[in-house]
């Protein structure tokens, strides 16, 4: 079998993008035109969805995180969640944007930011979640609050010590009395998930539930 045929077969087997495709993606992601960058991000996500490895584009996708386009932001955040473990150091560079987005006037952006932080399974992310999580748990918008309470369970799974030290379990207990029933339901769901965890301080939770 010739070298070119073997390479093509290996690429199909491991679903590796062609060199030309990766180069095209990278060029589009750093384009001076916003529409072209957004179109390229959509194509990168499409490639990721069908199993292609586009992790090498992480730095270029990350450059597009600071945008007011909610659709584009969702796509970039989705990409970061998918490849965070393979690029933990680069992922931390997105923290400032996450934190800033938890203060955005749009509640959809605030909820998206805290949900993404909770879904990124990188140990160091736990160190940056304290203030934005406390803020979103007290958000005026119930959609943001109900998203944030689930993030407490995510944080507990990632770093139970921080969750206990910062009082997030006590906050969850308080939110069982929230005025919004969806927030209450999510708070109970998060507490049950935490209680099932192998790290759970059962006596603490059982005394509260």
């Amino acid at each position: 079998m010739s070298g070119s045929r073997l390479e093509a077969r290996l690429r199909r087997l491991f679903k590796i993008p062609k060199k030309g495709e990766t180069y095209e993606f990278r060029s589009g992601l750093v384009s001076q035109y916003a529409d072209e960058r957004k179109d390229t991000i959509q194509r990168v996500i499409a490639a990721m969805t069908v199993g292609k490895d586009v992790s090498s584009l992480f730095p270029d996708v990350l450059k597009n995180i600071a945008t007011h386009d909610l659709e584009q932001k969702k796509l970039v955040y989705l990409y970061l969640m998918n490849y965070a473990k393979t690029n933990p150091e680069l992922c931390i560079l997105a923290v400032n944007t996450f934190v800033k987005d938890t203060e955005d006037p749009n509640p959809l952006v605030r909820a998206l930011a805290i949900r993404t932080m909770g879904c990124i399974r990188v140990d160091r992310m736990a160190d940056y979640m304290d203030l934005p999580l406390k803020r979103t748990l007290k958000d005026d918008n119930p959609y943001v609050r109900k998203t944030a309470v689930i993030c407490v369970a995510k944080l507990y799974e990632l770093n139970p010590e921080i969750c206990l030290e910062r009082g997030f379990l006590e906050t969850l207990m308080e939110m069982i009395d929230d005025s919004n029933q969806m927030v209450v339901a999510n708070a109970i769901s998060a507490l049950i998930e935490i209680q099932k965890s192998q790290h759970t301080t059962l006596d603490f939770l059982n005394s509260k539930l």
Side-chain angles (χ1 to χ4, degrees):
M1 182 179 293
S2 67
S4 60
R5 289 180 61 190
L6 177 60
E7 181 182 359
R9 184 174 179 182
L10 287 173
R11 286 186 179 279
R12 287 196 302 271
L13 179 62
F14 294 104
K15 299 180 180 178
I16 302 173
K18 296 178 181 178
K19 182 178 180 180
E21 185 179 32
T22 301
Y23 177 80
E24 185 180 341
F25 282 158
R26 185 166 284 118
S27 297
L29 289 168
V30 297
S31 170
Q32 61 179 312
Y33 302 108
D35 289 346
E36 185 176 352
R37 294 196 302 271
K38 181 176 180 179
D39 177 68
T40 303
I41 292 170
Q42 291 172 332
R43 290 167 56 209
V44 169
I45 296 300
M48 182 183 79
T49 302
V50 298
K52 292 184 178 181
D53 181 5
V54 288
S55 59
S56 63
L57 298 169
F58 199 99
D60 303 294
V61 173
L62 186 59
K63 292 174 184 176
N64 291 276
I65 192 172
T67 175
H68 295 295
D69 186 320
L70 182 57
E71 182 182 358
Q72 177 176 317
K73 188 179 289 289
K74 286 180 179 179
L75 294 174
V76 173
Y77 276 18
L78 178 62
Y79 179 94
L80 296 184
M81 284 189 286
N82 195 67
Y83 289 117
K85 283 189 175 181
T86 58
N87 295 271
E89 295 303 319
L90 286 175
C91 189
I92 295 302
L93 296 177
V95 165
N96 286 340
T97 300
F98 291 146
V99 173
K100 182 179 179 181
D101 282 352
T102 61
E103 298 180 280
D104 192 273
N106 187 340
L108 295 178
V109 173
R110 300 199 298 274
L112 177 65
I114 198 62
R115 181 176 71 86
T116 303
M117 290 188 80
C119 289
I120 290 180
R121 315 316 287 161
V122 173
D123 291 340
R124 286 183 59 197
M125 186 60 68
D127 298 330
Y128 301 97
M129 288 189 66
D130 185 26
L131 290 178
L133 186 53
K134 284 181 178 177
R135 180 164 52 241
T136 50
L137 284 168
K138 301 298 184 182
D139 199 280
D140 290 338
N141 188 284
Y143 178 74
V144 178
R145 295 200 304 277
K146 82 181 188 69
T147 303
V149 296
I150 292 300
C151 287
V152 175
K154 299 287 186 183
L155 176 60
Y156 191 90
E157 181 184 351
L158 187 64
N159 193 316
E161 289 77 18
I162 285 181
C163 210
L164 289 167
E165 291 171 3
R166 308 297 166 81
F168 286 118
L169 295 190
E170 287 91 340
T171 300
L172 278 188
M173 292 304 309
E174 294 170 1
M175 296 185 77
I176 291 178
D177 296 322
D178 193 273
S179 59
N180 183 277
Q181 291 305 305
M182 285 301 300
V183 175
V184 172
N186 276 19
I188 293 173
S189 176
L191 284 166
I192 290 173
E193 185 176 338
I194 290 170
Q195 192 172 33
K196 291 179 179 178
S197 168
Q198 61 179 341
H199 302 293
T200 300
T201 307
L202 290 173
D203 291 341
F204 173 86
L205 288 177
N206 286 335
S207 67
K208 300 289 184 179
L209 290 176

